[in-house]
Amino acid sequence: MNLLILLLVSRTYVPKERIRDTLEAYRDSSQEAFERMFERDKDELRALGIPIETGSQDAYFDDEPGYRVARDAFELPAVELEPDEAAVVGLAARVWQHAGMADATSKALLKLAAAGVATDREAIDVVSPRLVADEPAFDDVWSACQTRTPIRFDYRRGDQPEPSTRHLQPWGVVSSRGRWYVVGHDADRGEPRLFRLSRVVGRVAAEGEAGSFTVPAGTDVRELARLLAPERPSATAVVRARSGEAHALRRRASTVTALEGGWDRLELEYADLGRLAGDVLACLDAVVVEQPDDLRAEVVRRLRGLAHPDGVSLEAAARQFGVTTKQIVRDLNVVWFCGLPGLGPGDLIDVDMDALGEDGDGVVRLSNAEFLTRPLRLQSSEASALVLALRALREGTPGESREAIDRALVKLEAATSEGASAEVIDVPAHDPRTAGVRRDLEDALDRERQVRLGYVVESRDETTDRVVDPLAVLDAEGSAYLDAWCHLAEGRRLFRLDRVEGLEVLDTPVEQHDVEPRDLSEGLFEASHDDVLATVRLARPARWVAEYYPVVSRTELEDGGLEVDLRAGDPRWLVRLVLRLAPYAEVVGPVAVSEAVTAQARAALAAYDA
């Protein structure tokens, strides 16, 4: 690659000795070794179809012959790649673009310029990718994979309060939806594991000599990453959705059955109950969960937390537990004496009894009870003791009770060993679900024809009909987009292909627009003066928002969470995001957005109360 770049950027023929002086691998070898390596590298480049020209600087004098690659001869026609092929090419391109290797390229160009060789830096754009690997740990992990060096690093999982130290023999680096992972042998667990590089905390340290391990023969790192990714759907949920709404869930539904009163029944397969609960909440009051009961209960629990940010109504608490409001008040009088060991003034739970009405109304407010929100964490020895006790108990227990013990055993045994940490199931570069849409758009681009789109705007949960002049089809951050001039919006817009519900190529020629090719190097989001700047407090499980969406600023919180300032082109999008993240996100400001979240949660909760 270094030889290719050197010959590509040179405007004139580069003599052999100057090539040797410029490239470190050649410069540090003997003359005989240099000759062998140089001929080998030229042969490899020519075998790849890269024409290396030989010539001299002056036609009238017998100068030392030199070499160059003509840019127009180097550029290739369009290449169609299979998804796995595109993934490999994308990896190679991103690695070259990454900071460490770009630095080496810059140094080579400086040496050429100092030697009097005229260079054309823009020629590098021929092989420049759009995406880069910007995780701080990328360089060290990639280098360790190449040199087969064991590494040590601190790693924070999304469901853990503190990072833990991991010891890994890195086998390879893979990408999925714009994120990077390392796959290797976890020395602590004694088996392969998958780690997301953006969750590596601090520096990556070498823990052994280069070449001290080997990757097992026949290992397919990418296939192994798929196997270590989250499980496939294993359960089915049934929800009611208002007709013409909840498009995001409708696209995933296995069946849709029309009901009376303007509602449809949707069946959805899922693997992660918590994630599906977030997707349901993002649909506001347009969706009501029917089955399973644990999904319905989880959605209701989150909605109540949002609908009553300062507490829960006394009536709702009584209804939840199936008792009278008087019983709730009696129980709250007992809560006064509950808390953490020590039972001092700072250890006991505080109950705001003044907020309770005499007639069974009012709001229940608790404070100094944050420890109740933390999930129970068992030490390995504690979990092992419980497992042994349950196994002994199981021997003499028949029927339904044994089934309950079996379920508890499964959960406890799973808790004693960590699973894979990846959150993203790999998606091919060209999603087969949008293959037909992509073909039609490419046809419209070739023939320069307008396109009519039926497009779902998820922030408003509605389908719009619009005519556009297509400019390009782009792949970015794990999804495919149409860059087009929209006549409905009277401006340039991006449309995600998986949100296109109808497409018709028209006979009308496109109108010409004086626009530059879209630059995605800074991400998809383009700031506007009309954006809402919101401050959102994220608990630890929702920290990923700061990685996935562009934030203006971020502040670390003492409890491991984040407070971020982010821009929203449409406040309704932000409301749906916060509902999806409940209870791990809170809008600090502006007040109007915070109030909108509460109002939407109450509207959705009313459907369940009814």
Side-chain angles (χ1 to χ4, degrees), residues 460-475:
R460 302 195 298 270
D461 194 20
E462 65 182 24
T463 301
T464 59
D465 183 76
R466 56 187 76 205
V467 174
V468 302
D469 296 326
L471 302 173
V473 175
L474 308 172
D475 292 289

Side-chain angles (χ1 to χ4, degrees), residues 79-380:
V79 179
E80 294 294 331
L81 296 176
E82 295 299 319
D84 56 347
E85 298 167 342
V88 175
V89 172
L91 174 61
R94 290 198 223 184
V95 167
W96 174 80
Q97 174 77 355
H98 193 52
M101 300 182 189
D103 180 62
T105 303
S106 298
K107 290 179 180 177
L109 293 178
L110 286 174
K111 291 176 182 178
L112 284 173
V117 177
T119 60
D120 179 10
R121 191 179 184 91
E122 292 183 358
I124 301 178
D125 292 339
V126 175
V127 287
S128 175
R130 286 197 179 104
L131 299 175
V132 297
D134 52 6
E135 287 85 351
F138 185 91
D139 278 333
D140 292 335
V141 172
W142 173 259
S143 177
C145 290
Q146 299 302 298
T147 59
R148 299 290 184 256
T149 303
I151 55 177
R152 179 184 72 252
F153 54 88
D154 290 337
Y155 189 76
R156 177 184 284 125
R157 285 184 51 174
D159 57 351
Q160 288 183 332
E162 298 297 334
S164 58
T165 302
R166 302 300 183 93
H167 304 81
L168 186 72
Q169 295 177 358
W171 292 351
V173 174
V174 297
S175 65
S176 178
R177 294 199 176 190
R179 294 190 175 99
W180 290 90
Y181 301 83
V182 58
V183 182
H185 178 77
D186 188 326
D188 300 310
R189 276 75 181 173
E191 57 187 355
R193 282 288 190 269
L194 181 72
F195 299 96
R196 201 165 97 187
L197 295 189
S198 63
R199 289 187 171 171
V200 173
V201 180
R203 62 184 298 271
V204 176
E207 196 172 52
E209 300 296 327
S212 58
F213 70 86
T214 58
V215 179
T219 299
D220 185 335
V221 172
R222 198 163 182 80
E223 181 60 28
L224 181 59
R226 290 193 182 96
L227 295 175
L228 294 175
E231 58 182 334
R232 296 298 189 264
S234 57
T236 301
V238 179
V239 305
R240 279 185 289 116
R242 283 201 183 92
S243 300
E245 299 186 53
H247 294 86
L249 291 182
R250 290 177 182 275
R251 289 197 297 272
R252 296 168 44 188
S254 55
T255 63
V256 178
T257 305
L259 303 175
E260 295 181 357
W263 290 82
D264 298 326
R265 177 173 284 112
L266 280 58
E267 292 189 3
L268 303 159
E269 294 183 345
Y270 69 95
D272 188 320
L273 182 143
R275 187 170 299 174
L276 180 57
D279 294 341
V280 169
L281 288 166
C283 293
L284 309 181
D285 58 341
V287 171
V288 177
V289 177
E290 292 187 348
Q291 299 175 7
D293 291 340
D294 53 352
L295 174 63
R296 182 183 175 95
E298 175 66 10
V299 170
V300 170
R301 182 185 70 82
R302 297 192 193 184
L303 283 172
R304 284 186 174 142
L306 292 169
H308 304 284
D310 297 324
V312 62
S313 70
L314 190 63
E315 183 180 352
R319 185 168 58 249
Q320 171 72 19
F321 294 104
V323 298
T324 64
T325 55
K326 290 183 178 180
Q327 181 63 50
I328 292 292
V329 173
R330 285 196 293 267
D331 291 342
L332 288 172
N333 280 309
V334 177
V335 172
W336 276 100
F337 304 99
C338 300
L340 294 173
L343 301 180
D347 302 318
L348 295 174
I349 298 173
D350 290 330
V351 183
D352 182 7
M353 301 296 286
D354 294 336
L356 303 179
E358 296 180 358
D359 300 324
D361 57 359
V363 176
V364 178
R365 293 191 180 95
L366 301 182
S367 59
N368 200 38
E370 290 76 12
F371 56 87
L372 293 176
T373 65
R374 295 197 296 268
L376 178 66
R377 297 291 182 181
L378 296 176
Q379 296 182 3
S380 297

